[in-house]
Short mmCIF file of all heavy atoms in Angstrom, two decimals:
data_model
loop_
_atom_site.label_atom_id
_atom_site.label_comp_id
_atom_site.label_asym_id
_atom_site.label_seq_id
_atom_site.Cartn_x
_atom_site.Cartn_y
_atom_site.Cartn_z
N VAL A 257 158.44 35.59 43.47
CA VAL A 257 158.48 35.44 42.10
C VAL A 257 158.27 33.98 41.64
O VAL A 257 157.46 33.70 40.74
CB VAL A 257 159.84 35.97 41.50
CG1 VAL A 257 159.98 35.55 40.04
CG2 VAL A 257 159.99 37.45 41.78
N VAL A 258 158.93 33.08 42.32
CA VAL A 258 158.85 31.67 41.92
C VAL A 258 157.47 31.09 42.14
O VAL A 258 156.93 30.42 41.24
CB VAL A 258 159.92 30.87 42.70
CG1 VAL A 258 159.76 29.34 42.44
CG2 VAL A 258 161.34 31.31 42.30
N LEU A 259 156.87 31.25 43.34
CA LEU A 259 155.58 30.66 43.61
C LEU A 259 154.46 31.18 42.76
O LEU A 259 153.78 30.40 42.16
CB LEU A 259 155.31 30.74 45.09
CG LEU A 259 156.23 29.94 46.05
CD1 LEU A 259 155.69 30.08 47.48
CD2 LEU A 259 156.28 28.53 45.61
N PRO A 260 154.30 32.55 42.67
CA PRO A 260 153.27 32.99 41.75
C PRO A 260 153.52 32.54 40.26
O PRO A 260 152.60 32.38 39.55
CB PRO A 260 153.32 34.54 41.87
CG PRO A 260 153.85 34.72 43.29
CD PRO A 260 154.83 33.59 43.40
N GLY A 261 154.80 32.54 39.96
CA GLY A 261 155.07 32.06 38.52
C GLY A 261 154.60 30.63 38.35
O GLY A 261 153.98 30.28 37.29
N ARG A 262 154.81 29.77 39.25
CA ARG A 262 154.31 28.42 39.11
C ARG A 262 152.81 28.36 39.27
O ARG A 262 152.08 27.55 38.57
CB ARG A 262 154.96 27.48 40.21
CG ARG A 262 156.42 27.23 39.97
CD ARG A 262 156.91 26.22 40.97
NE ARG A 262 158.26 25.77 40.63
CZ ARG A 262 158.57 24.76 39.88
NH1 ARG A 262 157.59 24.06 39.24
NH2 ARG A 262 159.75 24.40 39.63
N MET A 263 152.24 29.26 40.10
CA MET A 263 150.80 29.26 40.28
C MET A 263 150.01 29.68 39.05
O MET A 263 148.97 29.07 38.73
CB MET A 263 150.44 30.16 41.46
CG MET A 263 150.84 29.66 42.80
SD MET A 263 150.75 30.98 44.11
CE MET A 263 149.00 31.31 44.03
N PHE A 264 150.50 30.65 38.31
CA PHE A 264 149.78 31.20 37.19
C PHE A 264 150.27 30.78 35.85
O PHE A 264 149.67 31.13 34.85
CB PHE A 264 149.82 32.75 37.29
CG PHE A 264 149.04 33.30 38.48
CD1 PHE A 264 149.57 33.58 39.64
CD2 PHE A 264 147.69 33.56 38.26
CE1 PHE A 264 148.87 34.14 40.67
CE2 PHE A 264 146.88 34.06 39.30
CZ PHE A 264 147.51 34.35 40.54
N ARG A 265 151.35 30.04 35.81
CA ARG A 265 151.95 29.67 34.45
C ARG A 265 150.95 28.90 33.60
O ARG A 265 150.70 29.21 32.43
CB ARG A 265 153.19 28.81 34.65
CG ARG A 265 153.77 28.35 33.36
CD ARG A 265 155.11 27.64 33.67
NE ARG A 265 155.01 26.49 34.65
CZ ARG A 265 154.55 25.31 34.19
NH1 ARG A 265 154.39 24.97 33.00
NH2 ARG A 265 154.38 24.33 35.13
N LEU A 266 150.32 27.84 34.22
CA LEU A 266 149.36 27.08 33.38
C LEU A 266 148.19 27.78 32.98
O LEU A 266 147.63 27.61 31.94
CB LEU A 266 149.04 25.78 34.26
CG LEU A 266 150.17 24.79 34.48
CD1 LEU A 266 149.65 23.63 35.31
CD2 LEU A 266 150.74 24.29 33.15
N GLU A 267 147.70 28.66 33.90
CA GLU A 267 146.52 29.48 33.57
C GLU A 267 146.76 30.38 32.47
O GLU A 267 145.92 30.65 31.55
CB GLU A 267 146.03 30.19 34.78
CG GLU A 267 144.70 30.99 34.60
CD GLU A 267 143.55 30.07 34.23
OE1 GLU A 267 143.63 28.87 34.63
OE2 GLU A 267 142.65 30.62 33.48
N PHE A 268 147.97 31.10 32.40
CA PHE A 268 148.29 31.90 31.30
C PHE A 268 148.39 31.10 30.05
O PHE A 268 147.98 31.58 28.93
CB PHE A 268 149.68 32.66 31.62
CG PHE A 268 149.53 33.95 32.36
CD1 PHE A 268 148.98 33.95 33.58
CD2 PHE A 268 149.92 35.12 31.75
CE1 PHE A 268 148.87 35.14 34.29
CE2 PHE A 268 149.79 36.34 32.43
CZ PHE A 268 149.32 36.39 33.75
N GLU A 269 148.92 29.88 30.12
CA GLU A 269 149.08 29.04 28.94
C GLU A 269 147.65 28.69 28.40
O GLU A 269 147.38 28.66 27.20
CB GLU A 269 149.86 27.83 29.21
CG GLU A 269 151.24 28.09 29.33
CD GLU A 269 152.06 26.76 29.77
OE1 GLU A 269 151.40 25.74 29.84
OE2 GLU A 269 153.34 26.84 29.88
N ARG A 270 146.70 28.35 29.34
CA ARG A 270 145.39 27.93 28.94
C ARG A 270 144.69 29.12 28.24
O ARG A 270 143.84 28.87 27.27
CB ARG A 270 144.51 27.53 30.19
CG ARG A 270 145.04 26.29 30.81
CD ARG A 270 143.92 25.79 31.89
NE ARG A 270 144.43 24.66 32.61
CZ ARG A 270 144.87 24.76 33.88
NH1 ARG A 270 144.91 25.96 34.44
NH2 ARG A 270 145.29 23.67 34.48
N ARG A 271 145.00 30.30 28.64
CA ARG A 271 144.27 31.49 28.04
C ARG A 271 145.06 32.00 26.84
O ARG A 271 144.58 33.09 26.27
CB ARG A 271 144.11 32.58 29.12
CG ARG A 271 143.27 32.07 30.32
CD ARG A 271 142.81 33.29 31.15
NE ARG A 271 142.15 32.81 32.29
CZ ARG A 271 141.19 33.53 32.95
NH1 ARG A 271 140.98 34.78 32.50
NH2 ARG A 271 140.55 33.15 34.00
N GLY A 272 146.11 31.35 26.45
CA GLY A 272 146.78 31.80 25.24
C GLY A 272 147.62 33.06 25.43
O GLY A 272 147.89 33.74 24.46
N LEU A 273 147.97 33.36 26.62
CA LEU A 273 148.80 34.57 26.94
C LEU A 273 150.31 34.21 26.96
O LEU A 273 150.66 33.16 27.38
CB LEU A 273 148.40 35.10 28.35
CG LEU A 273 146.93 35.58 28.43
CD1 LEU A 273 146.63 35.96 29.97
CD2 LEU A 273 146.62 36.69 27.55
N PRO A 274 151.11 35.07 26.34
CA PRO A 274 152.55 34.82 26.25
C PRO A 274 153.26 34.68 27.59
O PRO A 274 152.87 35.42 28.48
CB PRO A 274 153.05 35.94 25.35
CG PRO A 274 152.14 37.04 25.58
CD PRO A 274 150.79 36.38 25.78
N PRO A 275 154.26 33.83 27.76
CA PRO A 275 154.93 33.72 28.95
C PRO A 275 155.61 35.10 29.44
O PRO A 275 155.76 35.32 30.59
CB PRO A 275 156.07 32.65 28.70
CG PRO A 275 155.49 31.86 27.57
CD PRO A 275 154.68 32.81 26.74
N ARG A 276 156.03 35.81 28.41
CA ARG A 276 156.72 37.14 28.81
C ARG A 276 155.70 38.14 29.45
O ARG A 276 156.16 38.97 30.31
CB ARG A 276 157.27 37.78 27.53
CG ARG A 276 156.31 38.18 26.49
CD ARG A 276 156.95 38.95 25.33
NE ARG A 276 155.91 39.24 24.31
CZ ARG A 276 155.52 38.54 23.32
NH1 ARG A 276 155.96 37.28 23.24
NH2 ARG A 276 154.65 38.99 22.50
N LEU A 277 154.44 37.94 29.25
CA LEU A 277 153.44 38.76 29.99
C LEU A 277 153.45 38.38 31.46
O LEU A 277 153.42 39.32 32.32
CB LEU A 277 152.10 38.53 29.38
CG LEU A 277 151.01 39.39 30.00
CD1 LEU A 277 151.24 40.82 29.94
CD2 LEU A 277 149.63 39.14 29.38
N LEU A 278 153.52 37.12 31.75
CA LEU A 278 153.57 36.62 33.14
C LEU A 278 154.96 37.12 33.75
O LEU A 278 154.94 37.56 34.95
CB LEU A 278 153.48 35.17 33.23
CG LEU A 278 153.63 34.52 34.62
CD1 LEU A 278 152.59 35.08 35.60
CD2 LEU A 278 153.47 32.96 34.57
N SER A 279 156.02 36.94 33.01
CA SER A 279 157.30 37.41 33.55
C SER A 279 157.27 38.88 33.92
O SER A 279 157.77 39.29 34.93
CB SER A 279 158.39 37.09 32.49
OG SER A 279 159.63 37.60 33.00
N ARG A 280 156.75 39.69 32.98
CA ARG A 280 156.69 41.14 33.23
C ARG A 280 155.74 41.42 34.45
O ARG A 280 156.01 42.32 35.24
CB ARG A 280 156.13 41.79 32.01
CG ARG A 280 155.97 43.41 32.11
CD ARG A 280 157.28 44.05 32.44
NE ARG A 280 157.17 45.45 32.70
CZ ARG A 280 157.28 46.37 31.85
NH1 ARG A 280 157.58 46.02 30.55
NH2 ARG A 280 157.13 47.65 32.18
N THR A 281 154.68 40.79 34.58
CA THR A 281 153.69 40.97 35.68
C THR A 281 154.36 40.62 36.99
O THR A 281 154.22 41.34 38.02
CB THR A 281 152.44 40.07 35.48
OG1 THR A 281 151.85 40.38 34.25
CG2 THR A 281 151.46 40.34 36.64
N LEU A 282 155.13 39.57 37.05
CA LEU A 282 155.84 39.18 38.27
C LEU A 282 156.94 40.22 38.64
O LEU A 282 157.21 40.53 39.77
CB LEU A 282 156.46 37.74 38.13
CG LEU A 282 155.44 36.62 37.93
CD1 LEU A 282 156.25 35.34 37.65
CD2 LEU A 282 154.60 36.54 39.24
N GLY A 283 157.60 40.66 37.59
CA GLY A 283 158.65 41.72 37.82
C GLY A 283 158.03 42.97 38.31
O GLY A 283 158.65 43.62 39.21
N ASP A 284 156.87 43.41 37.85
CA ASP A 284 156.25 44.61 38.30
C ASP A 284 155.52 44.47 39.68
O ASP A 284 155.06 45.47 40.20
CB ASP A 284 155.17 44.97 37.25
CG ASP A 284 155.77 45.52 36.00
OD1 ASP A 284 156.92 45.81 36.00
OD2 ASP A 284 155.01 45.56 34.92
N SER A 285 155.52 43.25 40.23
CA SER A 285 154.88 43.10 41.57
C SER A 285 155.84 42.45 42.55
O SER A 285 156.29 43.09 43.59
CB SER A 285 153.59 42.27 41.39
OG SER A 285 153.87 41.00 40.86
N GLY A 286 156.33 41.17 42.22
CA GLY A 286 157.04 40.47 43.21
C GLY A 286 158.47 41.02 43.37
O GLY A 286 159.02 40.91 44.42
N ILE A 287 159.00 41.66 42.37
CA ILE A 287 160.36 42.13 42.41
C ILE A 287 160.50 43.54 43.00
O ILE A 287 161.21 43.87 43.96
CB ILE A 287 161.09 42.10 41.05
CG1 ILE A 287 161.22 40.71 40.58
CG2 ILE A 287 162.41 42.85 41.07
CD1 ILE A 287 161.88 40.50 39.25
N VAL A 288 159.73 44.45 42.39
CA VAL A 288 159.90 45.95 42.80
C VAL A 288 159.27 46.26 44.10
O VAL A 288 159.70 47.24 44.76
CB VAL A 288 159.24 46.86 41.67
CG1 VAL A 288 159.95 46.57 40.32
CG2 VAL A 288 157.76 46.64 41.54
N THR A 289 158.30 45.46 44.66
CA THR A 289 157.76 45.85 45.97
C THR A 289 158.50 45.17 47.09
O THR A 289 158.20 45.55 48.25
CB THR A 289 156.29 45.44 45.95
OG1 THR A 289 156.20 43.95 45.77
CG2 THR A 289 155.41 46.07 44.81
N ALA A 290 159.43 44.26 46.82
CA ALA A 290 160.23 43.53 47.93
C ALA A 290 160.93 44.55 48.77
O ALA A 290 160.92 44.44 50.01
CB ALA A 290 161.16 42.56 47.36
N PRO A 291 161.58 45.65 48.26
CA PRO A 291 162.35 46.52 49.13
C PRO A 291 161.44 47.46 50.02
O PRO A 291 161.92 48.06 50.92
CB PRO A 291 163.13 47.40 48.20
CG PRO A 291 163.17 46.67 46.87
CD PRO A 291 161.95 45.93 46.86
N LEU A 292 160.11 47.43 49.77
CA LEU A 292 159.23 48.22 50.55
C LEU A 292 158.71 47.53 51.76
O LEU A 292 158.07 48.22 52.61
CB LEU A 292 158.03 48.61 49.66
CG LEU A 292 158.36 49.34 48.28
CD1 LEU A 292 157.07 49.66 47.62
CD2 LEU A 292 159.18 50.62 48.59
N VAL A 293 158.94 46.30 51.90
CA VAL A 293 158.51 45.49 53.08
C VAL A 293 159.66 45.35 54.14
O VAL A 293 160.70 44.79 53.80
CB VAL A 293 158.05 44.10 52.68
CG1 VAL A 293 157.52 43.26 53.90
CG2 VAL A 293 156.98 44.21 51.55
N PRO A 294 159.54 45.96 55.27
CA PRO A 294 160.62 46.03 56.21
C PRO A 294 161.14 44.68 56.62
O PRO A 294 162.37 44.53 56.85
CB PRO A 294 160.02 46.78 57.40
CG PRO A 294 158.84 47.55 56.88
CD PRO A 294 158.39 46.74 55.78
N TRP A 295 160.28 43.71 56.82
CA TRP A 295 160.75 42.42 57.20
C TRP A 295 161.11 41.45 56.05
O TRP A 295 161.48 40.33 56.26
CB TRP A 295 159.66 41.69 58.04
CG TRP A 295 158.31 41.68 57.43
CD1 TRP A 295 157.88 40.71 56.60
CD2 TRP A 295 157.28 42.63 57.62
NE1 TRP A 295 156.54 40.97 56.22
CE2 TRP A 295 156.18 42.13 56.81
CE3 TRP A 295 157.12 43.79 58.31
CZ2 TRP A 295 155.02 42.86 56.66
CZ3 TRP A 295 155.93 44.53 58.19
CH2 TRP A 295 154.85 44.04 57.41
N ASN A 296 161.01 41.88 54.75
CA ASN A 296 161.43 41.24 53.65
C ASN A 296 162.97 41.21 53.59
O ASN A 296 163.54 42.26 54.04
CB ASN A 296 160.83 41.78 52.39
CG ASN A 296 161.07 40.91 51.18
OD1 ASN A 296 162.15 40.88 50.66
ND2 ASN A 296 160.01 40.32 50.70
N SER A 297 163.64 40.24 53.03
CA SER A 297 165.03 40.19 53.05
C SER A 297 165.65 41.38 52.23
O SER A 297 166.61 42.01 52.61
CB SER A 297 165.57 38.89 52.41
OG SER A 297 165.00 38.61 51.13
#
């Protein structure tokens, strides 16, 4: 969540996209898929 958030934050700002859209995107990918990876914490 943290690294992609830092990676894409400026790009979302440059394109005029709201921060909540990035937050929702990270939630829909980095958060919900973590339990599906056996070696993930």
Side-chain angles (χ1 to χ4, degrees):
V257 172
V258 173
L259 292 185
R262 288 185 173 274
M263 289 167 59
F264 289 95
R265 176 175 57 85
L266 294 178
E267 185 60 27
F268 270 63
E269 289 179 357
R270 290 192 190 102
R271 299 191 181 210
L273 298 173
R276 64 178 179 274
L277 179 59
L278 176 59
S279 175
R280 177 59 186 267
T281 301
L282 296 175
D284 288 345
S285 58
I287 293 179
V288 301
T289 60
L292 305 181
V293 182
W295 53 86
N296 190 288
S297 58

